[in-house]
Amino acid sequence: MSAYLATIPSPDRGVWHLGPIPLRAYALCIIAGIIVAIWWGERRWAARGGTKGTVIDVAVFAVPFGLVGGRLYHVITDPELYFTEGRNPWNAFAIWDGGLGIWGAIALGAVGALIACRRKGVPLPAMADAVAPGIVVAQAIGRIGNYFNQELYGAHTDLPWGLEVYQRFNPEDPDNLLNGVATGHIPLPESPVHPTFLYELLWNLLVALLVVWADRRFKLGHGRAFALYVAGYTVGRGWIEMMRTDTANHILGLRVNVWTSILLFLGAVAYFVVAGRRGPREAPELLVGKNAPGPDETPVPQDSDVTPDTVAPASGEEAGEPEHAKVAAAEAPAPEKPASEDAPAQEPKKAGDS
């Protein structure tokens, strides 16, 4: 009895309906993570001297590319879920039902970011450093969506933080239990299980703290903060992946994502070392971009009391003189100063006199 009360219960469902509109927890978590990543990336970019709004402009390209890449990676590595007998191939496009591979999202998202960075005239490695901790926090938020979908968990456990998983029912589509509802809280045979999605969520938050600390301590640049994020994330993803019991393809006895984690870890460490030879962090002026305001186009701060209507007029304008008076004053000869009879004549100045 006490062991059951100590476990973590699962949500009854992962989707609610607002009339005909489905509200899916997984999709909402993905959106929330993207918002956090952009918001934090903007703050870090501006703190480095970059122009405000640049991260948002880059995200317009990177986010759609990343979503497509994440889905492609998932479908390519698990094709049997969509293209085998009895499966519906059109479900490969049902991104709202879950199934995004972070590796594909990062890879294709980087392509979109590269396009945007070239259009803005800013270096991609510096942009990657700015958004690195926000991306891994976005991944942590996305794992909450896996909790609502009741997926990506491990084997049976008697630990006090074991996760209770329940049978879900969907009378309208018995094969689509992901959109079903748990009625009666009937536990699955393997319940309680390791909440591997929770393990990864906590690991991701630790990686974000590591990246922020190392970036402040060592002034990382040239993509090294991003490389540290990749290396740190893959270390955790590797061992957590091996705890999961969901269906996955294997190569030489290891899940595909474990091999991907190993290769990306080695690549990230190598890049971190090589990029360190490029010298100090990028200069702030390199982050300004092409469309930033010039020195004579500095906008007036929004919270300032100074507006175009309150700027002091130039000399001669404050009295409201008419134009003909200004012209007459300009054309009038300067009054001659009467010479003093007792004043001696001045000698011409010599060179060097001040």
Side-chain angles (χ1 to χ4, degrees), residues 100-302:
L100 286 175
I102 184 60
W103 318 117
I106 294 298
L108 209 54
V111 174
L114 176 61
I115 296 173
C117 286
R118 286 187 173 180
R119 289 167 59 94
K120 299 292 292 184
V122 296
L124 177 62
M127 176 61 64
D129 286 339
V131 300
I135 289 178
V136 72
V137 169
Q139 292 176 237
I141 297 174
R143 286 307 179 202
I144 301 176
N146 300 134
Y147 170 60
F148 279 92
N149 279 357
Q150 202 171 245
E151 59 186 358
L152 305 190
Y153 50 79
H156 173 78
T157 181
D158 293 325
L159 293 172
W161 55 81
L163 174 71
E164 290 289 347
V165 286
Y166 308 120
Q167 295 183 23
R168 290 183 175 181
F169 304 93
N170 187 355
E172 298 179 358
D173 187 359
D175 295 331
N176 188 2
L177 299 181
L178 186 65
N179 293 327
V181 180
T183 58
H185 290 171
I186 304 173
L188 294 177
E190 63 269 29
S191 183
V193 296
H194 279 284
T196 52
F197 72 89
L198 178 61
Y199 299 162
E200 187 173 330
L201 186 157
L202 297 175
W203 181 267
N204 290 348
L205 296 179
L206 291 175
V207 171
L209 292 175
L210 172 64
V211 172
V212 171
W213 171 82
D215 195 26
R216 292 179 177 177
R217 176 67 177 81
F218 302 106
K219 304 296 182 184
L220 300 177
H222 305 289
R224 300 181 76 205
F226 189 85
L228 181 61
Y229 142 64
V230 173
Y233 172 73
T234 52
V235 168
R237 178 63 184 268
W239 66 267
I240 295 172
E241 183 75 21
M242 290 188 289
M243 296 180 64
R244 286 167 45 173
T245 57
D246 55 303
T247 303
N249 294 319
H250 289 69
I251 298 177
L252 300 178
L254 290 179
R255 295 165 68 102
V256 171
N257 282 329
V258 175
W259 283 111
T260 306
S261 296
I262 294 173
L263 295 176
L264 288 177
F265 172 79
L266 296 176
V269 172
Y271 181 90
F272 187 89
V273 174
V274 172
R277 301 172 183 173
R278 300 186 62 182
R281 174 188 288 180
E282 296 89 342
E285 54 267 22
L286 296 178
L287 313 185
V288 174
K290 295 179 179 178
N291 301 325
D296 298 330
E297 302 172 352
T298 305
V300 178
Q302 295 182 358

Side-chain angles (χ1 to χ4, degrees), residues 71-85 87-89 91-92 247-249 256:
R71 189 61 175 180
L72 282 176
Y73 180 89
H74 168 72
V75 173
I76 291 172
T77 55
D78 294 295
E80 66 279 358
L81 299 178
Y82 308 99
F83 305 110
T84 55
E85 185 178 356
R87 300 285 185 173
N88 185 0
N91 287 338
T247 303
N249 294 319
V256 171

